[in-house]
Amino acid sequence: MEENKKPLILVTNDDGITAKGIRALIEIASQLGDVVVVAPDKPQSAMGHAITINNTLYLKEFKQHDYDHKEYMISGTPVDSVKMARHEILGRKPDLCLSGINHGSNSAINVIYSGTMSAAVEAGIEGIPAIGFSLCDYSPDADFSQSTHFVKHIIEQVLKNGMAPGVVLNVNIPKAQKENLKGIKVCRQARAHWVEEFDKRTNPYGKDYYWLTGKFVNNDKGEDTDEWALANNYISIVPTQYDLTAHHFISELNTWDLDS
Amino acid sequence: MEENKKPLILVTNDDGITAKGIRALIEIASQLGDVVVVAPDKPQSAMGHAITINNTLYLKEFKQHDYDHKEYMISGTPVDSVKMARHEILGRKPDLCLSGINHGSNSAINVIYSGTMSAAVEAGIEGIPAIGFSLCDYSPDADFSQSTHFVKHIIEQVLKNGMAPGVVLNVNIPKAQKENLKGIKVCRQARAHWVEEFDKRTNPYGKDYYWLTGKFVNNDKGEDTDEWALANNYISIVPTQYDLTAHHFISELNTWDLDS
């Protein structure tokens, strides 16, 4: 990026282009660079790294707000949004991709289900420095203003330091008043999981159906985890990678009898 | 698992319960244990780790085949299938989860988009040893019989050795005749990516739409990669993890100015 030239910042999310969280992120990004918004036209939470290959995609300019920048909504997933932004709308790599701010936590194992983080990861795969932001508050009216200062500071640090290839940042923000936020903590992903409970019901026509619900269980009490940081009113940053190879297990596997 | 007791094997996939690939896997699994099949009722390729939280789920017994074992199809994603199998259908952990055999490669970065591998990863998260199998042939009529011997051998090795917590196996099989398959190779995920090309069209009503297409680009020539193994007629096994923390980047991040 040339000196004194404003960075081009792609903003996306998984709650959809009308969500309050993406508006908060756009406000902050606009202070730091030239913004283009490309986001799903409807909520796409928990879509993980899904892409649309068995269906068509629609792209439409979104003009609900009186901004200087351009906004587009697409009929696909968060990852589709990044692909379409990069290859169809911008035609070049943006300098930074910001995803969120998600309504709800993407800490621990939630990173793997998260459309917010999958959009950031997709940008990373395409060689774009990327950050996913999430606030631990699922409410559509969540208060994103308490952490504005920290979100802006983290973005500035990424613009200044750049990102290593293969790494994107997963930032989670506790639900807390500004004066209670203790700062930013670099963490590892806690080893937590969900225990599912399927809520079985019968529809008006007599057919059974289910809602997927569950309980988040964290047995990892490490003080270096994102869950610990959030529980103690720190903003957590987990550097996240998409080389999924369990490198530590390769030598073990090579001791197996794999000649057959 | 008790001595002499047959293992309970959950079989799933992302191409849907009627695909040829899952039938091949069921045949092999039936020789090694008691099988239960829970799979999507329609193709769910490239759904990644998506779960269904904004919609209802339907579950139905599938009786098209004359088997001793039970089969169920669900209206959701591959990951939904594993969750439903574990918590609603089986009510206990199966001893093993097999996903596939996928019609098409899930090597390199494809692991992250793959419904096949996401189902295996979900089983891993739930503490179930798991393997995803993919054949590098997208045809609905792909010939899965050439690799039967190797698929069975890999499953036997996992039943014998167990799996380390946090690790699942990503097995890819080259499209080759049995006599040309050179064996099994433990690999790392190649650093490859897709370059998207959106195919823009106009529908009969004058509205533009897009198909997501792309070109797979592999600049990683390492002979320890899955891409190298497959190109040289080896079956690749990549141990895959779902702790996405980029542990190597934590110390670097701690040198950043994150006090604000």
Side-chain angles (χ1 to χ4, degrees):
Chain A
M1 202 166 57
E2 286 168 41
E3 204 66 39
N4 297 325
K5 204 180 148 195
K6 281 169 111 182
L8 177 61
I9 304 178
L10 170 64
V11 181
T12 189
N13 77 343
D14 79 350
D15 291 315
I17 200 160
T18 61
K20 193 176 171 188
I22 196 171
R23 294 296 134 198
L25 192 51
I26 291 166
E27 287 293 333
I28 298 168
S30 297
Q31 299 169 28
L32 298 170
D34 293 324
V35 168
V36 173
V37 179
V38 183
D41 60 6
K42 53 191 165 304
Q44 293 277 318
S45 293
M47 281 304 281
H49 215 92
I51 53 175
T52 304
I53 57 170
N54 289 322
N55 210 340
T56 54
L57 286 168
Y58 289 86
L59 167 68
K60 200 178 166 193
E61 209 176 326
F62 182 72
K63 296 183 172 175
Q64 198 170 307
H65 297 268
D66 186 25
Y67 288 126
D68 289 335
H69 64 258
K70 290 255 192 190
E71 304 204 349
Y72 302 87
M73 56 183 184
I74 73 159
S75 58
T77 67
V79 173
D80 290 333
S81 299
V82 172
K83 287 182 182 288
M84 205 141 203
R86 163 73 183 86
H87 296 280
E88 188 66 25
I89 298 170
L90 300 174
R92 76 163 178 99
K93 273 189 206 178
D95 300 300
L96 182 66
C97 174
L98 305 177
S99 182
I101 301 174
N102 191 57
H103 293 244
S105 167
N106 281 315
S107 58
I109 196 63
N110 297 310
V111 65
I112 216 167
Y113 304 99
S114 162
T116 304
M117 274 307 295
S118 293
V121 165
E122 179 62 27
I125 293 170
E126 306 217 11
I128 304 159
I131 320 171
F133 289 99
S134 305
L135 175 67
C136 298
D137 185 347
Y138 289 94
S139 164
D141 290 320
D143 180 3
F144 293 92
S145 71
Q146 303 300 320
S147 58
T148 299
H149 167 74
F150 291 97
V151 170
K152 189 175 174 188
H153 184 70
I154 292 167
I155 300 170
E156 285 171 330
Q157 287 298 305
V158 171
L159 286 170
K160 184 181 150 206
N161 295 297
M163 284 297 297
V167 181
V168 301
L169 299 186
N170 183 16
V171 176
N172 281 274
I173 304 159
K175 181 182 174 180
Q177 294 298 306
K178 200 179 339 191
E179 57 273 21
N180 295 328
L181 287 171
K182 284 198 202 141
I184 297 168
K185 212 169 173 328
V186 179
C187 305
R188 66 172 173 85
Q189 171 188 328
R191 286 186 293 273
H193 65 285
W194 286 85
V195 175
E196 271 68 38
E197 289 160 13
F198 286 90
D199 181 350
K200 188 175 180 178
R201 301 184 182 191
T202 306
N203 76 11
Y205 314 101
K207 194 172 170 187
D208 290 337
Y209 66 97
Y210 299 84
W211 286 104
L212 171 57
T213 70
K215 208 170 58 208
F216 183 70
V217 179
N218 178 26
N219 295 319
D220 183 351
K221 302 302 176 201
E223 298 194 1
D224 57 346
T225 64
D226 49 4
E227 288 301 318
W228 188 93
L230 293 164
N232 288 277
N233 275 353
Y234 287 96
I235 290 164
S236 66
I237 303 188
V238 176
T240 298
Q241 62 187 0
Y242 46 85
D243 174 3
L244 306 190
T245 312
H247 291 277
H248 66 281
F249 198 67
I250 284 182
S251 56
E252 162 78 18
L253 258 187
N254 274 317
T255 68
W256 289 20
D257 169 26
L258 294 175
D259 296 322
S260 60
Chain B
M1 203 167 56
E2 285 169 40
E3 204 67 40
N4 298 324
K5 204 180 148 197
K6 280 168 111 182
L8 177 61
I9 304 178
L10 169 64
V11 180
T12 189
N13 77 343
D14 79 350
D15 291 315
I17 201 161
T18 62
K20 193 176 171 189
I22 197 171
R23 294 296 135 197
L25 192 52
I26 291 165
E27 288 292 334
I28 299 167
S30 297
Q31 299 168 29
L32 298 170
D34 292 324
V35 168
V36 173
V37 179
V38 184
D41 61 5
K42 54 190 165 305
Q44 292 278 318
S45 293
M47 282 303 281
H49 216 94
I51 53 175
T52 303
I53 57 169
N54 289 323
N55 210 340
T56 54
L57 285 168
Y58 290 86
L59 166 68
K60 201 179 165 191
E61 209 176 327
F62 182 72
K63 296 183 171 174
Q64 197 169 307
H65 298 267
D66 186 26
Y67 288 126
D68 289 336
H69 66 256
K70 289 256 193 189
E71 304 204 348
Y72 302 87
M73 57 183 183
I74 72 159
S75 59
T77 67
V79 173
D80 290 333
S81 300
V82 172
K83 286 182 182 288
M84 206 141 203
R86 162 74 183 84
H87 296 280
E88 189 66 26
I89 299 170
L90 301 175
R92 75 162 178 99
K93 273 189 206 178
D95 299 301
L96 182 67
C97 173
L98 305 176
S99 182
I101 301 173
N102 192 56
H103 294 243
S105 167
N106 281 315
S107 58
I109 195 65
N110 297 310
V111 65
I112 217 167
Y113 304 100
S114 163
T116 304
M117 274 307 295
S118 293
V121 166
E122 179 62 27
I125 293 170
E126 306 216 14
I128 304 159
I131 320 170
F133 289 99
S134 306
L135 175 68
C136 298
D137 184 348
Y138 288 94
S139 164
D141 290 321
D143 179 4
F144 292 92
S145 71
Q146 303 300 320
S147 58
T148 298
H149 167 73
F150 292 98
V151 170
K152 190 175 174 187
H153 184 71
I154 292 168
I155 299 170
E156 286 170 330
Q157 286 298 306
V158 170
L159 286 171
K160 184 181 149 206
N161 295 297
M163 285 296 299
V167 181
V168 301
L169 300 186
N170 183 16
V171 176
N172 281 274
I173 304 159
K175 181 183 175 180
Q177 294 300 305
K178 201 180 337 192
E179 57 273 21
N180 295 328
L181 287 171
K182 284 199 202 138
I184 297 167
K185 212 169 174 328
V186 179
C187 305
R188 65 173 174 85
Q189 171 186 327
R191 286 185 293 272
H193 65 286
W194 287 85
V195 175
E196 271 68 38
E197 288 159 14
F198 285 91
D199 181 350
K200 188 176 181 180
R201 303 184 181 189
T202 305
N203 75 12
Y205 314 101
K207 195 171 170 186
D208 291 337
Y209 67 96
Y210 300 83
W211 287 103
L212 171 57
T213 70
K215 210 170 57 209
F216 183 70
V217 179
N218 178 27
N219 295 319
D220 183 350
K221 302 302 175 201
E223 298 194 0
D224 57 345
T225 64
D226 50 3
E227 288 300 318
W228 187 93
L230 293 164
N232 289 275
N233 274 354
Y234 286 96
I235 289 164
S236 66
I237 303 188
V238 177
T240 298
Q241 62 187 359
Y242 46 85
D243 174 2
L244 306 190
T245 311
H247 290 278
H248 66 281
F249 198 67
I250 284 182
S251 56
E252 162 78 18
L253 257 187
N254 274 318
T255 68
W256 289 19
D257 170 27
L258 294 175
D259 297 321
S260 60

